[in-house]
Amino acid sequence: MTQDELKALVGQAALQYVVGGEIVGVGTGSTVNKFIDALATIKSSIPGAVSSSVASTERLKALGIPVFDANDVGEIAVYIDGADEIDARGNMIKGGGAALTREKIVAAQSRRFICIADESKLVEALGRFPVPVEVIPMASQRVIRQFQAMGGQARVRLKDGQPLVTDNGQHILDVSGLSITEPLQFESDVNQWPGVVTVGVFAHQKAAVCLLGTTSGVKTLAF
Ligand code: 5RP
């Protein structure tokens, strides 16, 4: 099975977690795109979605799924999103698609985080995938030095040779060389640094369930 097929498999499997009559939280990325396509087949059973990015909003709307502003809805029953890495306790690295800040906001507003991922994303310890960190541009170099002081190498993410600008008008640093043995502490610490908008470690908003696409089918991990 190709990686694309594994993504489609978990995107489809996530439909079982969508609560009829309730708004669903929708993440961002190629795996979530498969979920959005599957969601379109049951769209009449839900009022709509709260989205974590401009890209997901456009895809949802194109498929006729209404998109609500997070401020106009209360608690969301489930949030469905992918991950760049997930460990055996449900902690994740996210932000490969630069949507980490809105992803964390919608995840925090939701009762349960259902992670959908192919099996390549399951790791023993977080940190092989460079940790995305959304920063206020004027703080970039200072935050890069702070990561250097803790043994990491951070660089500004580029797009077409220029710093990538997020949906929130900020920049992304990708930080490699970190060993994240205490994800909760790491997330809390880095979030305190001046100029950091969001760190892409999701330990405070970790997954409740992970639907893992494997060559032998969907494996469900509950945390
Ligand atoms: C976007 C994310 C994505 O969930 C993550 O990058 C996984 O993406 P994909 O499903 O394309 O592998 O955090 O900011």
Side-chain angles (χ1 to χ4, degrees):
M1 228 183 278
T2 65
Q3 208 176 25
D4 201 55
E5 286 167 335
L6 294 179
K7 290 177 182 186
L9 199 66
V10 291
Q12 181 72 32
L15 287 185
Q16 65 188 291
Y17 290 90
V18 174
V19 181
E22 295 227 22
I23 288 169
V24 59
V26 175
T28 299
S30 57
T31 316
V32 165
N33 283 346
K34 304 289 189 191
F35 167 66
I36 294 174
D37 295 348
L39 189 64
T41 65
I42 60 155
K43 64 184 176 191
S44 58
S45 69
I46 55 162
V50 170
S51 164
S52 63
S53 63
V54 171
S56 288
T57 297
E58 283 173 358
R59 194 176 188 97
L60 286 159
K61 286 186 173 169
L63 290 168
I65 301 170
V67 177
F68 294 88
D69 189 298
N71 287 307
D72 294 335
V73 308
E75 193 180 52
I76 299 165
V78 288
Y79 176 62
I80 296 177
D81 198 358
D84 298 302
E85 282 186 353
I86 181 162
D87 72 14
R89 288 173 294 165
N91 302 304
M92 295 166 286
I93 289 180
K94 292 185 46 53
L100 64 163
T101 296
R102 296 188 189 193
E103 290 173 342
K104 207 174 266 192
I105 292 168
V106 188
Q109 196 168 336
S110 304
R111 272 200 296 282
R112 294 176 87 200
F113 190 133
I114 312 298
C115 176
I116 50 176
D118 65 81
E119 59 190 342
S120 69
K121 306 292 183 66
L122 186 64
V123 297
E124 276 191 19
L126 300 180
R128 205 168 15 129
F129 189 92
V131 180
V133 181
E134 185 162 3
V135 292
I136 307 280
M138 75 172 282
S140 292
Q141 293 306 317
R142 207 184 143 272
V143 173
I144 286 172
R145 288 194 292 274
Q146 279 195 268
F147 278 118
Q148 269 166 356
M150 61 193 282
Q153 297 89 45
R155 52 181 58 175
V156 176
R157 190 182 300 181
L158 302 179
K159 187 181 178 195
D160 302 326
Q162 294 298 318
L164 177 144
V165 178
T166 68
D167 289 352
N168 311 307
Q170 312 303 336
H171 290 174
I172 298 282
L173 302 181
D174 291 304
V175 191
S176 53
L178 297 172
S179 160
I180 305 170
T181 50
E182 301 284 349
L184 270 175
Q185 193 60 50
F186 179 86
E187 182 182 1
S188 299
D189 289 349
V190 176
N191 263 329
Q192 302 291 334
W193 296 357
V196 169
V197 179
T198 303
V199 57
V201 168
F202 283 53
H204 290 279
Q205 271 80 40
K206 68 176 195 159
V209 170
C210 178
L211 301 177
L212 205 62
T214 77
T215 43
S216 50
V218 177
K219 209 167 144 185
T220 303
L221 312 176
F223 307 106

